[in-house]
Amino acid sequence: MTQHVWGYLPEYDEERADILDAVDTVFSSGQLVLGKSVSAFEREFADYHGLGHCVGVDNGTNAIVLGLRALGIGPGDEVITVSNTAAPTVIAIDLVGAVPVFVDIDPDTYLMDVDQVAGAITERTRCLLPVHLYGQCVDMAPLRALAEEHGLLVLEDCAQAHGARHHGALAGTMGNAAAFSFYPTKVLGAYGDGGATVTDDPEVDARLRRLRFYGMEDRYYVVETPGHNSRLDEVQAEILRRKLTRLDAYTARRKAIADRYEEAFKGTDLITPKTAPGNEHVYYVYVVRHPLRDKVIEELKARHDIALNISYPWPVHTQSGFAHLGYGPDALPVTTRVADEIFSLPMYPSLSDEEQERVIDALFDVMGRL
Ligand SMILES: *Cc1c(COP(=O)(O)O)cnc(C)c1O
């Protein structure tokens, strides 16, 4: 074990027959693009959420882009979100010509600090974009109340929160629309790229379907609003159908791994994740925090050959491509401070107990030398 970066091979080893059967099912079907598997997956993923509609798209970034466009968000509109997220959240806002507006994060959960949202609303604000980061949900009740009060739309970024619950409600069911990614590492991952936008609103669904298909109705080849080619691939859809039936089992394994870490690091200087009240965490990433983060990571690599990830080392507002947004180095103090201290422990369903023990022992060794 030289690297602790997730690889799909152990999973493929276990699920190979089913995955290859999915591939064969599509190749034998006679329709390789927008065929039976995409429509079946869309129905099953919508049903899983108890929602009316799901539109399969090519990746999570475009799930956000199409979601924003389908909600009518465009040039000049302000979208309130966070800087502690995967850059694609913010890239998607930028791509539709809208302006990302950042609020700081909660120091315990590292999620959107909902108390700061009211102060960020201007007359140009059109949309709130909470990111259910790492596998747990943003506090949605106050956010929805603000949206109602100010006539704003809500698009949830659920790329890290498949199956996560908030006071019983599934991530993706608490806004006007929600975007998912099926990038291979995600809680529900394809064998390549994939994404989906879900909604309960039939008009938003109709717009999403046109937007992912050049802007055309399937039957009438007339473009009213130029769209994208953002279709979910038929093979990925069939694989996702198979894996959706195992989603709750994958999550149960992630939770067991999280419990083991929690137990092991109790009472140490390593701060383990805090689950906000009412949340069921799915642990897409297991984010811990240590004041000497860089030293811990360096020593783990040097002494134990264990490489860990940081999600995310550079808050979006500090990246040069977003300098035009005008956030200074002190604009989001919690986001900036947390980014220097967080790192992620290995977390994926195929992580074995032995591998996890080795990581825990190595961390104790390194922390004992600090
Ligand atoms: C992965 C991710 C995305 C982008 O999804 P892709 O499928 O990689 O385009 C967007 N937002 C968040 C929070 C993500 O983790």
Side-chain angles (χ1 to χ4, degrees):
M1 180 174 64
T2 49
Q3 282 255 332
H4 254 294
V5 174
W6 180 88
Y8 67 93
L9 288 172
E11 178 193 282
Y12 186 51
D13 218 31
E14 270 177 44
E15 302 187 358
R16 184 182 187 118
D18 191 40
I19 301 299
L20 290 181
D21 185 66
V23 175
D24 187 56
T25 299
V26 171
F27 286 3
S28 311
S29 74
Q31 190 165 359
L32 296 173
V33 175
L34 290 188
K36 286 196 190 93
S37 295
V38 167
S39 2
F41 173 70
E42 289 177 340
R43 200 172 50 243
E44 288 155 8
F45 200 62
D47 286 350
Y48 179 87
H49 291 92
L51 289 170
H53 311 279
C54 166
V55 177
V57 298
D58 51 350
N59 57 61
T61 308
N62 284 337
I64 305 172
V65 168
L66 269 58
L68 288 168
R69 287 195 68 189
L71 292 177
I73 310 300
D77 295 336
E78 290 180 357
V79 178
I80 299 176
T81 191
V82 286
S83 176
N84 181 39
T85 182
T89 308
V90 185
I91 290 166
I93 298 170
D94 188 72
L95 280 173
V96 305
V99 181
V101 173
F102 299 122
V103 292
D104 213 343
I105 55 171
D106 178 279
D108 290 327
T109 60
Y110 320 131
L111 301 175
M112 176 182 268
D113 181 352
V114 185
D115 290 341
Q116 297 194 13
V117 173
I121 295 174
T122 73
E123 71 237 15
R124 284 185 301 279
T125 307
R126 293 283 319 284
C127 182
L128 307 179
L129 205 164
V131 183
H132 303 316
L133 202 70
Y134 306 141
Q136 71 169 326
C137 294
V138 170
D139 191 9
M140 291 301 286
L143 213 58
R144 283 157 60 120
L146 278 175
E148 202 149 308
E149 185 187 336
H150 296 269
L152 309 174
L153 296 156
V154 177
L155 177 69
E156 302 173 70
D157 182 341
C158 299
Q160 305 195 356
H162 316 67
R165 283 180 187 271
H166 181 65
H167 297 289
L170 278 166
T173 65
M174 296 177 280
N176 299 86
F180 287 87
S181 165
F182 306 121
Y183 182 78
T185 63
K186 306 285 177 171
V187 177
L188 179 61
Y191 277 65
D193 280 305
T197 310
V198 299
T199 182
D200 230 0
D201 182 334
E203 281 175 32
V204 173
D205 172 64
R207 272 181 242 132
L208 286 167
R209 284 180 192 285
R210 287 194 293 271
L211 282 169
R212 72 145 176 216
F213 192 73
Y214 317 112
M216 293 173 187
E217 295 283 343
D218 283 355
R219 285 192 305 142
Y220 307 106
Y221 285 69
V222 174
V223 173
E224 283 174 27
T225 304
H228 309 243
N229 176 355
S230 278
R231 300 176 291 246
L232 175 62
D233 182 75
E234 191 69 4
V235 173
Q236 300 305 338
E238 186 58 31
I239 291 171
L240 286 165
R241 293 187 66 199
R242 315 293 178 99
K243 291 190 66 177
L244 180 58
T245 66
R246 298 189 279 272
L247 175 58
D248 293 343
Y250 298 139
T251 301
R253 176 64 190 144
R254 285 179 185 272
K255 285 182 177 158
I257 293 168
D259 287 347
R260 177 76 195 93
Y261 280 138
E262 172 69 31
E263 183 62 33
F265 296 115
K266 205 173 273 174
T268 71
D269 288 343
L270 195 76
I271 302 170
T272 52
K274 288 192 184 58
T275 304
N279 271 353
E280 271 178 51
H281 206 311
V282 295
Y283 298 103
Y284 169 57
V285 212
Y286 193 85
V287 174
V288 295
R289 192 168 166 193
H290 195 286
L292 302 176
R293 188 266 316 270
D294 290 345
K295 184 94 183 135
V296 170
I297 289 201
E298 209 181 283
E299 293 285 300
L300 270 175
K301 181 74 187 116
R303 293 181 181 277
H304 299 277
D305 203 21
I306 292 174
L308 298 183
N309 288 329
I310 301 171
S311 297
Y312 296 90
W314 303 288
V316 178
H317 74 283
T318 66
Q319 300 181 27
S320 57
F322 299 97
H324 63 281
L325 297 175
Y327 289 82
D330 305 322
L332 303 164
V334 182
T335 300
T336 318
R337 175 157 41 89
V338 161
D340 286 337
E341 298 185 352
I342 52 173
F343 60 110
S344 314
L345 303 190
M347 169 57 79
Y348 35 88
S350 56
L351 184 75
S352 71
D353 291 345
E354 296 69 35
E355 287 172 314
Q356 187 179 14
E357 283 310 310
R358 200 170 96 74
V359 172
I360 292 169
D361 291 347
L363 264 161
F364 270 95
D365 173 56
V366 164
M367 290 193 296
R369 295 168 188 273
L370 291 173

